[in-house]
Each structure stands twice: as structure tokens, then as C-alpha cells.
Amino acid sequence: MTLENINRIAVIGAGSMGHQIAMLSALGGFETYLQDIEQSSLDKAKESLQFQMNKWVTKGKIDQPSLDAAFSRLHATTDLQTAVSEADFVIEAVVEKLDVKRDLFAKLDQFAPPHAILATNSSTIVNSKIAEVTSRPEKVCNMHFFFPPLVMDCVEVVKSEQTSDEAADLAMAVSKKMNRTAVLLHKEISGFIANRILGALTKEAVELYEEGYASFEDIDLICKKALNHPIGPFALMDLSGIDVAYFVNQQRYAETNDPADRPAACIEEKVKAGELGRKTGKGWYDYSKKEVKQS
């Protein structure tokens, strides 16, 4: 199969990642189905995309006819079988929990055509842990977009020992057609490249905070002023979702059984309190009285 054979893409999960990946797919010229089990999530995704894309028109990043054509290629449904039954390529973007992903991929394997590539947008979990529930492990790969996908120009494509060269090459080609820079990882490692580096920095920042060396605000300030980072690690957790960091640490701990990989106490407290960052109005910082800038 070649890129020319990929006409329809299904994106599963209309959350903060999925709806923007679906928009990139539609902008890339693919007939795109966005699926979520909650109609409210699909409605919210549509509203968010219309707001963001109208800003693109205002800024001259896209003209109105091109945007209208892209939206005409984007379809929403709550029915998984409808979304994937004629898909050539599927991208999963659901919660970062292995059991949820495995359950979903078993269904995708049942509903999607035999030729379809099944990609996971997981930011940490290697695809071989998911592919084993399917009858097509050679057609499964990681295709890790970064948040927010409409802004961040990078995709990590990861091969397992069973992922075929064809599947990896197609994921790279699809990324390029979505106008994203793809980088191929030739073998699996939990967390891949970017998040292993980022995770090490975040872990150190959290430890420094918990041990009382500085406030989280000042740690963010040092990273911005001294290291020239565009955003500090605590503000970045708020942006991507503190629950995401929590689930990633839980998964890593489940794999290693190393107490050092358990979620930090302050992260667990935030999750239990429902303070997950910008999406809930409060995380490390309070956004309830501020207009949150959207890209």
C-alpha cells in the first residue's frame, strides 16, 4: 500500500489531541472521521475547531475556501464501526491508559478493513503492548503528535520489532501530508525521545519544589530566563493536563516497579482535587479569572 491508497482516516477520541489531529487530517486532504463515545465531546471539538480555524483565516494562514473544503471532509460520529469500517488509516487518541487502549484496538482490529494501518498517539506506551491484541501487529505503530497538534510541528513515529517498514513509511508519509515533520524511531522505548528528555526535566523540577528549594512559580521563571525555555515545566503540565503526567507516571511505575517512577505526591494531590490545569480552570496556576489564550 502507498500513500495514494490512503483516502480515509479515522481519528478515535475527540479530546484535546484527537480533534486537532482530525483537523490536520482534513487539512491534508484526507476524508476524515472523528469518533468519540460522547456527543458532547464532538460538539465541543467542533466549536473549538471553528474558533481556532477562524483565527487562522484572520491571520492569513489559510483562505476561507480552503478551510470550507477541509471542514467538508471532516465528519463526526459516536459510532466506532461507522468511523473505521472504510478507513485506510486509524489514529487512536484516547486516554493514556493501557487497558483502555488495548480494549479499543481489539475493536479496531474487528471493525477496520484488513489493510488499514492502526496507529496510537500514545505519548508513552510502546505499540507492541497494544498490538498484541490485534491480528495485524505488523500494521501497528506509534504516531505521537505533540500538544497542541495544530501548532507543534513534530510527530514521533515508532516501530516495534513487528511493525513493518511499510506501516512506518506510511505513517511518515501521512504526517508529511498533514504538514508535520515526522521522525522515525527504529526501536521502542517507553516515553520515546521528547518525553524522556522532558520527563527528566519535569521530575527534577517537581523534586526541587517538593523539597522546598523554590516555589513552582520561581522554578518556572528560572527555566524561562536562564534556560530560555518558552514555558516552565509547571505551566507546561497545566497546558497539557496534570492528569496526563499522572497517568504517564502510573504506566511507567507499572512497567518498572521502581518507586522512583511513581507519581509525585503533589501531582497525585492535584489529580485527586480535580485541579488538572487549564482545562479545569486551575492546576498549578489559577486560570478561572483569566482568558486562556488558545492557539
Side-chain angles (χ1 to χ4, degrees), residues 83-94:
V84 305
S85 62
E86 296 182 34
D88 304 302
F89 201 103
V90 181
I91 303 172
E92 166 270 312
V94 301

Side-chain angles (χ1 to χ4, degrees), residues 248-262:
V248 165
N249 286 139
Q250 278 192 321
Q251 178 62 34
R252 183 71 60 85
Y253 177 57
E255 292 177 9
T256 67
N257 208 30
D258 183 348
D261 289 329
R262 294 182 66 174

Side-chain angles (χ1 to χ4, degrees), residues 207-228:
E207 287 182 2
L208 289 167
Y209 164 71
E210 287 196 326
E211 292 171 12
Y213 290 103
S215 67
F216 69 83
E217 296 98 334
D218 283 345
I219 294 173
D220 274 359
L221 185 62
I222 289 168
C223 287
K224 290 170 67 177
K225 296 296 185 180
L227 303 180
N228 203 30

Side-chain angles (χ1 to χ4, degrees), residues 2 18 31 37-38 76 97 132 218 221 224 248 255 264 286:
T2 66
E31 202 71 23
I37 58 175
E38 299 289 344
K97 292 184 177 181
E132 63 187 17
D218 283 345
L221 185 62
K224 290 170 67 177
V248 165
E255 292 177 9
D286 189 349

